[in-house]
Amino acid sequence: MCELLGMSANVPTDICFSLTGLVQRGGKTGPHKDGWGIGFYEGKGLRIFHDPEPGIESKIAAFVRKLPIKSEIVISHIRKANRGKVELKNTHPFVREFWGSYWTFAHNGQFKKIKTEPLGDFRPVGTTDSEYAFCWLLGKLKKKFKESPQPESKLFETLEILMTELHQKGVSNILLSDSKHLYTFCSTKLSWITRKSPFGKATLLDADLSIDFRKVTTPGDRVTVIATNPLTSNEEWNLYKPGQFQVWKKGQIVFSNE
Amino acid sequence: MCELLGMSANVPTDICFSLTGLVQRGGKTGPHKDGWGIGFYEGKGLRIFHDPEPGIESKIAAFVRKLPIKSEIVISHIRKANRGKVELKNTHPFVREFWGSYWTFAHNGQFKKIKTEPLGDFRPVGTTDSEYAFCWLLGKLKKKFKESPQPESKLFETLEILMTELHQKGVSNILLSDSKHLYTFCSTKLSWITRKSPFGKATLLDADLSIDFRKVTTPGDRVTVIATNPLTSNEEWNLYKPGQFQVWKKGQIVFSNE
């Protein structure tokens, strides 16, 4: 299995604190040592870092987690390989251009027989179930909508149906983004926390590190962090229910099937 | 205008030396201060770094040029913006998945009316002529060949035709890769050098740095570096002719229209 980390914020925000917690689980406090990756959106632009090295040993991870890249949407993943070798091409998040935007996808879980499903216009480069599922999902979307549909709720409803279908094929906790929204699906395990005024202090579960958010925020900031397992010891995280699909924009839920 | 840097090698090789020369031109010895980017192939996998900061000031560039990433194909670009704002989404190299491989594209030059050309299945995310031309080219390829054609010469001949067509629409020096080959087209300016046994010393034109390749190679190594302008002062670089298209594999030319 793997661990996921996502962020949706209403102001460009760095994820150094949460990422420091996550990468500990990449070989130190957790067994997810088969690579890691992270994508940062800046408007429609995307920076993406991938490394098949364990997060805890990766020079790139050490560099990135100190790099204060400010973003409104982030998707990160640390990998414990079950299907697909430990190789760069099998490292999440996966990226495709679709409708003139970069879509990124990170997945925790595995599918039984996903590779027998016919694909549309998108092809996997690597050998993971996860990338195959991403290509399947985008192919289905493209077949249904030639252009990004309006109103947006049409897209949300279709994604809910497709992600529920994936959930029925196996364990499928998903973070997906198109640079505008962060789409999240819980198959078995996912948690979230929204930090907003009044801000407080937080302490990582996996490293001896605390932060006082009062010192690094302004009163209007709203930052939601989504993770497989809570990252801090002294805050109250919310748990997703199995089958729950939530769409985040600027740190707030804009669509939910609850 | 911009500057390009490419590498094709028969053994995984780092590009730290050449990249150190190139990034000087990103605001120090050259005016290309509107961002830079680099893609490294590892088999079918791809690491890609983008930054809209000037190469010479970029923390990411400083980190990457010391990171001994070993690759058989590299494409890099430093940008002097003429069309499209200085933004992450407008930073080369651009990437698309096509036929189950990651294709990367970097371009030096500009087109007169490329954006009136109809596109196929690929859409630009940013606003540059260059990304538009890349999408146009892949769209044409996809329309002609549903799968990667055999023998490979069919693909080379089609790429030659498409790149010549781009050359007729403006200045179009191009580096393109599909993880197997490095496709290069010279519209106005491009140069190359192949380093192989017996290896010698090289000194950068843009920085006070020399390397003795005898100390970092084995006798069978063959490494070709392609750049807009030669990067070293004491080696003899070959100049492409306008209209010249060359396909590189493992440091050797496998197709040429000369």
Side-chain angles (χ1 to χ4, degrees):
Chain A
M1 302 296 277
C2 310
E3 294 212 23
L4 300 169
L5 170 64
M7 187 188 79
S8 167
N10 67 344
V11 286
T13 303
D14 79 65
I15 197 164
C16 300
F17 177 71
S18 297
L19 190 61
T20 298
L22 186 76
V23 297
Q24 310 302 318
R25 298 178 185 172
K28 193 173 173 189
T29 60
H32 315 284
K33 60 177 180 44
D34 299 327
W36 69 283
I38 189 164
F40 299 88
Y41 284 97
E42 290 177 39
K44 292 191 76 177
L46 176 69
R47 284 179 208 264
I48 195 147
F49 300 90
H50 284 133
D51 201 349
E53 296 291 308
I56 195 68
E57 289 169 19
S58 163
K59 281 183 196 172
I60 300 178
F63 174 70
V64 170
R65 76 182 205 237
K66 286 178 190 160
L67 199 67
I69 295 174
K70 299 217 173 211
S71 178
E72 291 185 12
I73 302 176
V74 175
I75 288 184
S76 182
H77 180 272
I78 52 174
R79 182 162 182 241
K80 175 85 180 70
N82 45 53
R83 302 277 170 91
K85 277 200 283 185
V86 179
E87 278 186 274
L88 185 60
K89 69 179 181 195
N90 287 337
T91 307
H92 309 222
F94 302 104
V95 187
R96 294 293 183 273
E97 173 269 315
F98 177 42
W99 294 333
S101 295
Y102 294 121
W103 289 62
T104 51
F105 178 90
H107 168 240
N108 154 312
Q110 57 185 307
F111 300 104
K112 274 166 210 152
K113 282 193 284 190
I114 187 82
K115 290 186 183 177
T116 58
E117 293 290 333
L119 291 176
D121 250 4
F122 299 87
R123 307 280 179 84
V125 174
T127 54
T128 62
D129 284 3
S130 306
E131 189 189 12
Y132 197 99
F134 178 38
C135 293
W136 173 87
L137 185 146
L138 291 186
K140 287 271 185 186
L141 267 187
K142 187 166 178 175
K143 199 171 171 190
K144 180 155 186 174
F145 303 114
K146 202 164 179 260
E147 305 290 335
S148 182
Q150 290 298 331
E152 282 174 333
S153 57
K154 278 192 196 174
L155 173 61
F156 303 161
E157 285 157 12
T158 306
L159 279 172
E160 186 204 333
I161 292 167
L162 294 172
M163 292 209 188
T164 302
E165 206 172 320
L166 285 176
H167 172 50
Q168 285 157 356
K169 295 179 198 302
V171 175
S172 179
N173 302 294
I174 289 172
L175 301 182
L176 172 74
S177 182
D178 56 4
S179 81
K180 291 188 283 288
H181 298 98
L182 178 61
Y183 307 98
T184 59
F185 188 90
C186 173
S187 180
T188 54
K189 197 190 260 193
L190 206 56
S191 57
W192 61 274
I193 188 166
T194 297
R195 297 182 182 122
K196 57 187 180 181
S197 180
F199 290 97
K201 286 185 187 177
T203 302
L204 287 180
L205 271 167
D206 299 82
D208 186 15
L209 186 66
S210 294
I211 191 167
D212 185 345
F213 286 114
R214 285 169 295 191
K215 293 183 180 164
V216 292
T217 51
T218 57
D221 295 5
R222 192 190 315 109
V223 180
T224 296
V225 175
I226 295 143
T228 300
N229 292 296
L231 289 163
T232 56
S233 58
N234 63 329
E235 296 178 299
E236 204 162 314
W237 289 65
N238 307 280
L239 301 183
Y240 279 73
K241 290 179 194 155
Q244 195 170 352
F245 172 65
Q246 292 192 150
V247 182
W248 297 87
K249 186 172 191 176
K250 296 188 180 293
Q252 277 186 311
I253 294 169
V254 294
F255 182 89
S256 173
N257 65 351
E258 275 295 287
Chain B
M1 301 295 278
C2 310
E3 293 211 23
L4 300 169
L5 170 64
M7 187 189 79
S8 167
N10 68 342
V11 284
T13 303
D14 78 67
I15 196 163
C16 300
F17 177 71
S18 298
L19 190 61
T20 297
L22 185 76
V23 297
Q24 310 301 317
R25 299 178 185 173
K28 192 175 174 188
T29 60
H32 315 283
K33 58 179 184 41
D34 299 326
W36 69 283
I38 190 164
F40 300 87
Y41 284 96
E42 290 178 39
K44 293 191 75 177
L46 176 70
R47 283 180 210 263
I48 195 147
F49 299 89
H50 285 134
D51 201 349
E53 296 291 310
I56 195 68
E57 290 168 19
S58 162
K59 281 184 195 170
I60 299 177
F63 174 70
V64 170
R65 76 182 205 238
K66 286 180 191 159
L67 199 66
I69 295 175
K70 301 218 172 208
S71 178
E72 292 186 11
I73 302 176
V74 175
I75 288 183
S76 182
H77 181 273
I78 52 174
R79 182 164 183 241
K80 174 85 181 69
N82 45 53
R83 304 276 171 90
K85 280 199 282 185
V86 179
E87 279 185 274
L88 185 61
K89 70 180 179 194
N90 288 337
T91 306
H92 308 222
F94 301 103
V95 187
R96 293 293 183 275
E97 173 270 313
F98 177 42
W99 294 333
S101 294
Y102 294 121
W103 290 62
T104 53
F105 179 90
H107 168 241
N108 154 313
Q110 56 185 307
F111 300 104
K112 275 166 210 152
K113 283 194 285 189
I114 186 82
K115 291 187 183 176
T116 58
E117 294 289 334
L119 292 175
D121 249 4
F122 300 86
R123 307 281 179 84
V125 175
T127 55
T128 63
D129 285 2
S130 308
E131 189 188 12
Y132 197 98
F134 178 38
C135 293
W136 173 86
L137 185 146
L138 290 186
K140 288 271 185 185
L141 267 188
K142 187 165 178 175
K143 200 171 170 189
K144 181 155 185 173
F145 303 113
K146 203 163 178 260
E147 304 290 334
S148 182
Q150 290 298 331
E152 281 174 334
S153 57
K154 279 192 196 175
L155 173 61
F156 303 161
E157 285 157 12
T158 305
L159 279 172
E160 186 204 334
I161 292 167
L162 293 172
M163 291 209 188
T164 303
E165 205 174 320
L166 284 177
H167 172 48
Q168 287 156 357
K169 294 180 199 300
V171 175
S172 179
N173 302 294
I174 289 172
L175 301 182
L176 172 74
S177 182
D178 56 2
S179 82
K180 291 188 283 287
H181 299 97
L182 178 61
Y183 307 99
T184 60
F185 188 91
C186 174
S187 180
T188 54
K189 198 190 259 191
L190 207 56
S191 57
W192 61 274
I193 189 166
T194 298
R195 298 183 181 122
K196 57 186 180 182
S197 180
F199 290 97
K201 285 185 189 179
T203 302
L204 286 181
L205 271 167
D206 300 82
D208 186 16
L209 186 66
S210 295
I211 190 166
D212 184 345
F213 287 114
R214 285 170 295 194
K215 294 184 180 163
V216 291
T217 51
T218 57
D221 294 5
R222 192 189 317 108
V223 181
T224 295
V225 175
I226 295 143
T228 299
N229 292 297
L231 288 163
T232 56
S233 57
N234 64 329
E235 295 178 299
E236 205 162 316
W237 289 65
N238 307 280
L239 301 184
Y240 280 72
K241 292 179 192 154
Q244 196 171 352
F245 172 65
Q246 292 191 152
V247 182
W248 297 88
K249 187 171 189 175
K250 296 188 180 292
Q252 278 185 311
I253 295 169
V254 293
F255 182 90
S256 173
N257 64 352
E258 275 293 288

